Amino acid sequence: MMTIEQIIHAITSGEKTAEQITRESLAAIAAKNAEINAFVEVFEQDALAQAKAVDEKKARGEKLGALAGVPVAIKDNILYKGHKATCCSKMLENYTASYTSTVVEKLLAADAVIIGRTNMDEFAMGSSNQTSLYGPVKNPVDTTCVPGGSSGGSAAAVAAGMVPLALGTDTGGSVRQPAGFCGVVGIKPGYGRISRYGIIAFASSADQVGVLAANVKDAAIALEVLAGKDEHDSTSLDAPVPCYAQQMTADLKGMKIGLPVGFLDGLNEAIKDKVSAAAKRLEQLGAELVEVDVPYAKYSAPCYYIITSAEASSNLGRYDGIRYGYAAQQADGLKNYYENSRAPFGLEVKKRIIIGTYALTSERYEECFLKALKVRELIRDDFKKAFEKVDVLLTPTSPTTAFKLGAQEKDPLALYLADLYTCQGNIGGLAGISVPFGKDEKGLPIGVQFYGPILKEEKILNAAYQLEKNK
Ligand code: GLN
């Protein structure tokens, strides 16, 4: 599949039409999706109609949008009016969006072509894309392995060359971790950079839309289209959106890159080697490496699972068969009606609801939920201090490379720890990007991650872009 940059060039120069490019994407999906299972639905007719509209716009001599004719996949928790959005859950199997999310509005306004919705872990809870109603996604690099999750379908769709761009959501790492597993670029901007309006909520204080693309420049082009204040989302930030693709090409002379103390201890050797090699390369490119201490960061995973499960238990309360979701056909009284209506949630989702409800009970509120909120502040403070000393931080994306399908089913803790390095970014509200940097001994991709402070996405894009160019 062509890159976004190439598509824009081909369309503006008249070398190809948007319709041709859309047909190429549809053909790639038709050829590969039966095996990879990245898409749960393809919007073939709508996509072709959008592509034709772009071609007509061009024929009329009108100015084309920044993503004109670019096929984009959206994760199945992003609303697009008139299309299904199911979170890959039986609970929402028959839900059709009644309005369009701000991110999809922005894609359409930029003349992109929405090609279909992608597979995900049920309600975005997971790191391996094995809990979907529509079955697991396979990693295109090695189809016996998971693609990571929860935006595994979006990452696999880009990695398999079905689309140049896909949207995901990242609550604890769900854009960056699958990007790392599949060998593509994944960026989650700082909290509030992209509107959450029309995204089905998992944990509202951590959820962020992110971008999966084949390279850093494409990710930057897409981020620029999506970022910005939205009156429908009061947590979206009112700050100017820079021209990321132009700002990220500077050399790294004088950039201070922080290496958090202890982050590589006990880590898988291949990943440790790559992160160290990336640091060395960045130094050769003119960056200054600085050790930084973020002592509370190691509590991010427990803190993350308490806070996000608590928020999930509240957000998912609306699926009661009356307001939203599956409605039981038979029940013996009201209580039983609720029980039967909520039964279709999968095991992982039920687990989170139970953990979250427990953390919020009056007996446990102080020692669990309130404590997690306090620890979150300490972690945020750690990162704030770190960014007074350095421009960005370099970390692994994940503690492992892609593992075998089914391998970690019996070890839920190992799955939770897959987000060890990424959930810090959501707890801290930071901007984070995963960029491929080499492979392990089995040929599986390794991602390295850059963190930057809120509203400084251009810095992590800059570091990632230079590393990608100088592998
Ligand atoms: N794997 C994490 C979880 O299961 C992250 C999910 C996400 O980012 N949506 O909660």
Side-chain angles (χ1 to χ4, degrees), residues 124-127 150 170-174 202 304-305 352 419:
M125 297 168 187
S127 308
S150 64
D170 189 314
T171 306
S174 281
F202 162 10
Y304 165 83
Y305 279 100
R352 306 279 179 122
D419 285 317

Side-chain angles (χ1 to χ4, degrees), residues 2 14 29 46 74 94 127 221 258 297 314 333 362 378 384 390 467:
M2 293 194 286
I29 298 169
D46 284 0
I74 56 172
N94 297 314
S127 308
I221 295 170
S314 155
S362 55
L378 294 171
K384 205 167 142 224
V390 297
L467 188 64

Side-chain angles (χ1 to χ4, degrees), residues 429-465:
L430 313 176
I433 188 168
S434 176
V435 60
F437 193 69
K439 300 198 163 154
D440 70 1
E441 63 290 349
K442 288 175 260 163
L444 294 167
I446 292 176
V448 298
Q449 177 176 235
F450 291 101
Y451 273 134
I454 209 145
L455 294 176
K456 288 282 180 245
E457 285 75 17
E458 57 277 19
K459 289 205 174 175
I460 55 170
L461 285 162
N462 186 192
Y465 178 75

